[in-house]
């Protein structure tokens, strides 16, 4: 295990997230930020924006990031890790570029980045790295100091991520009526992505699905050990947003619920392993749409909790920080990982999760800001 109080050579941690609107007037401008360059008409954005208006035009993601920010600072302070934590978003305030300007002004020159996406894919990793490169280029153009930025490894199989999710599944099973609890299926769900992105994810391809399957198996095994019941489980997908003619990962969560009902499954627990917090795609696509589908089918269903600001996740981030810092100092730290895949790489290699249109990406072997 690495020294839990030593972050050298790093002098700051950046919590980097997607961002979300915090009021009705923010919704369409936020969606314009998300879809910039894709030529999506405003009418379509207004249609999608209705999902947010069901919740007052407010995405929960920013509030949840504030909670995680506080949890990280509390954990670091309690454990003697003297490392300031900043927060920036890709698509809404506080914007990434503004936060990096602040960090540069504060004299931060070696920055570690925690992305609120646990898996390898273009949208879950490389796009974050592209946004970092764009922000660093903006600092360079303004004549500001350009810090070196490194990204923490994928943490989908770190015990501090897996165990809170497992506990959430156990709590959800306890919510089901006793007469259907033992036969409940586990439905692990994550964001659907285009098949082309799934096939090229990670250094050798196929990492996105493989990582989800591995952690789902770990959680299902842990639930079996805890309950004594070997439950059927499946990995399914949600939140597809692409053109109909482009193949995306399937089956969709709602289609799978219909399949389960047709097979006579007595109940289901939806487990959103692809998401760090209960943001809009969890609240709408699962808590609203999927739960409505389950009710329509007469299928008892519950949705288990995401990790959010669980203290064990904050401790895992501390572990990841000090592990990476030790490696940068030339040490060989122990790397915590559950399942068959082992710990992920520290530095994304050239060609990892490639973009359809190549763009500069920071925090990787091909970074222009090494």
């Amino acid at each position: 295990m690495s020294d839990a109080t030593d972050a050298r050579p790093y002098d700051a941690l950046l919590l980097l997230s997607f961002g979300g609107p915090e009021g009705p007037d923010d919704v369409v401008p936020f969606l314009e930020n998300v879809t910039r360059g894709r030529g999506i008409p405003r009418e379509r954005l207004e249609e999608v924006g209705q999902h947010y208006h069901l919740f007052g035009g407010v995405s929960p993601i920013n509030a949840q990031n504030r909670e995680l920010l506080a949890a990280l600072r509390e954990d670091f302070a309690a454990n003697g890790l003297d490392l300031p934590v900043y927060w920036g978003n890709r698509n809404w305030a506080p914007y990434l570029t503004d936060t990096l300007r602040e960090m540069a002004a504060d004299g931060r020159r070696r920055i570690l980045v925690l992305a609120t996406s646990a898996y390898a894919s273009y949208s879950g990793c490389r796009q974050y790295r592209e946004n970092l490169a764009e922000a660093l280029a903006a600092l360079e153009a303004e004549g500001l100091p350009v810090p070196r930025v490194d990204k923490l490894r994928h943490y989908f199989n770190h015990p501090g991520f897996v165990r809170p999710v497992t506990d959430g599944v156990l709590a959800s099973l306890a919510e089901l009526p006793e007469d259907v609890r033992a036969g409940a299926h586990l439905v692990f769900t994550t964001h659907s992505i285009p098949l082309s992105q799934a096939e090229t994810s990670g250094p050798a391809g196929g990492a996105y699905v493989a990582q989800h399957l591995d952690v789902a198996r770990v959680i299902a095994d842990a639930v079996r050990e805890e309950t004594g019941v070997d439950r059927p489980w499946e990995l399914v997908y949600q939140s597809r947003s692409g053109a109909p003619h482009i193949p995306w990962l399937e089956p969709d969560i709602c289609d799978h619920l219909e399949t389960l009902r047709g097979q006579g499954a007595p109940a289901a627990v939806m487990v959103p392993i692809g998401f760090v917090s209960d943001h809009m795609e969890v609240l709408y696509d699962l808590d609203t749409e999927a739960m409505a589908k389950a009710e329509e089918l007469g299928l008892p269903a519950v949705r288990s909790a995401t990790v959010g600001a669980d203290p064990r996740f904050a401790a895992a981030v501390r572990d990841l920080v000090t592990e990476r810092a030790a490696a940068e100092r030339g040490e060989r730290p122990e790397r915590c990982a559950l399942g068959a895949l082992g710990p992920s790489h520290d530095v994304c290699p050239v060609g990892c999760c490639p973009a359809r249109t190549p763009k500069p990406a920071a925090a990787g072997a091909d970074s222009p800001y090494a």
Side-chain angles (χ1 to χ4, degrees), residues 66-137:
R66 292 185 185 98
E67 291 176 10
L68 179 56
L69 192 68
L72 292 170
R73 288 170 173 166
E74 181 179 349
D75 177 90
F76 288 8
N79 289 279
L81 181 62
D82 184 16
L83 191 72
V85 187
Y86 295 75
W87 169 38
N89 288 326
R90 294 168 51 202
N91 298 297
W92 201 250
Y95 287 103
L96 169 59
T97 304
D98 294 336
T99 301
L100 283 174
R101 284 194 192 99
E102 178 188 356
M103 298 177 83
D106 289 347
R108 312 304 176 192
R109 298 295 179 264
R110 288 294 302 273
I111 298 170
L112 265 176
V113 176
L114 167 68
T116 54
S117 176
Y119 301 84
S121 70
Y122 170 73
S123 56
C125 184
R126 186 173 179 90
Q127 196 167 18
Y128 282 79
R129 295 175 49 222
E130 290 177 353
N131 293 149
L132 281 165
E134 290 170 4
L136 292 172

